Amino acid sequence: MDTGFLRVLLDPGRFFEARMQEKPSLKIPALIALVIGLIGAVSTVPMADITMAMLPADMQGLGVIMMVISAGVAFVGGLLAWVICGFVLYLVSMIFKGQGDLERTMEFTGYGLIPQIFGGIIGTYFSYQLLSGLNIPPMTNPEQMVEFSENLVTILTTDPLAQIAGLVSILFIIWSANIWIFGMKYARNLSTRDAVLTVGIPVGLYILSRLITLAGWL
């Protein structure tokens, strides 16, 4: 099928060309964003477990509230990522005199997020592997909690597994970018060159910031 999910991943040009023959619909893109948000919420569980273990017994209730808030923020983050990406691509495409409505841009941007479902699942797996084996010592004062938190940050920024996870996430972003190029070409009636620039500029800057963070230059 020209409109199947596999077509989005393997032949996005034909997929979006076929979608242009139909009315814009945000239902499936919204569902994709919700799935990404759900995966993000699940990915907060390992860190939430660590937070709960750090807190004294009389503060466990606060820990539960923090866990729920973190999961909620991560869940909403899936939708926000979709909206932000769509608006950014729409605005950048205006530089290249793109023509086409925002709804179509949002639709095609949502389909381009499909690789992030796979990336989120793999990232969650890496998170579990990295954090599940941590030894959390008993803590009786704030100084111990601060010291452990600093050590945890060091682990999350220097552990080879964390760096591999960061590189893997970049690969999935590049995959999404490839899909967005075809999406913007059709949604905004751009030339291939202008579609590449529309997607490449913001995505390139984002990847650069991720690489700088992974390299520890900040």
Side-chain angles (χ1 to χ4, degrees):
M1 290 179 61
D2 286 342
T3 56
F5 278 170
L6 280 179
R7 183 69 70 187
V8 183
L9 299 173
L10 303 178
D11 192 359
R14 183 177 298 179
F15 173 85
F16 290 124
E17 185 178 15
R19 282 296 310 159
M20 288 297 294
Q21 308 307 314
E22 304 178 27
K23 292 183 179 180
S25 174
L26 300 180
K27 292 181 180 179
I28 294 178
L31 180 61
I32 293 168
L34 287 173
V35 171
I36 293 172
L38 180 60
I39 295 171
V42 172
S43 71
T44 66
V45 172
M47 186 61 72
D49 288 341
I50 291 175
T51 302
M52 292 289 288
M54 291 171 56
L55 295 174
D58 59 348
M59 295 184 65
Q60 291 296 307
L62 176 60
V64 173
I65 295 174
M66 293 171 58
M67 181 173 62
V68 172
I69 292 175
S70 297
V73 169
F75 180 74
V76 175
L79 286 172
L80 285 178
W82 170 39
V83 172
I84 291 171
C85 287
F87 270 101
V88 168
L89 294 178
Y90 184 84
L91 292 173
V92 176
S93 68
M94 292 175 65
I95 300 173
F96 304 101
K97 298 180 172 57
Q99 298 178 348
D101 59 39
L102 178 60
E103 184 178 8
R104 183 68 84 178
T105 300
M106 295 300 300
E107 178 191 9
F108 287 7
T109 301
Y111 280 113
L113 289 172
I114 292 177
Q116 302 311 308
I117 294 176
F118 305 115
I121 292 172
I122 293 174
T124 300
Y125 170 77
F126 277 123
S127 180
Y128 271 91
Q129 291 295 314
L130 182 62
L131 299 176
S132 60
L134 288 180
N135 180 31
I136 306 174
M139 300 182 197
T140 57
N141 58 68
E143 288 76 14
Q144 290 176 317
M145 296 175 64
V146 170
E147 181 180 359
F148 179 81
S149 298
E150 292 175 348
N151 292 335
L152 182 59
V153 170
T154 301
I155 292 173
L156 293 176
T157 54
T158 61
D159 189 280
L161 188 61
Q163 294 179 330
I164 291 172
L167 292 174
V168 169
S169 71
I170 289 175
L171 292 178
F172 282 100
I173 292 170
I174 293 173
W175 191 358
S176 284
N178 177 67
I179 296 173
W180 286 331
I181 288 171
F182 291 96
M184 293 306 102
K185 178 179 179 179
Y186 287 99
R188 297 289 284 155
N189 193 26
L190 297 170
S191 66
T192 300
R193 170 188 172 275
D194 289 346
V196 169
L197 290 173
T198 293
V199 176
I201 292 172
V203 172
L205 290 173
Y206 177 76
I207 290 176
L208 179 62
S209 69
R210 292 292 301 273
L211 289 174
I212 290 174
T213 301
L214 287 173
W217 294 340
L218 291 180

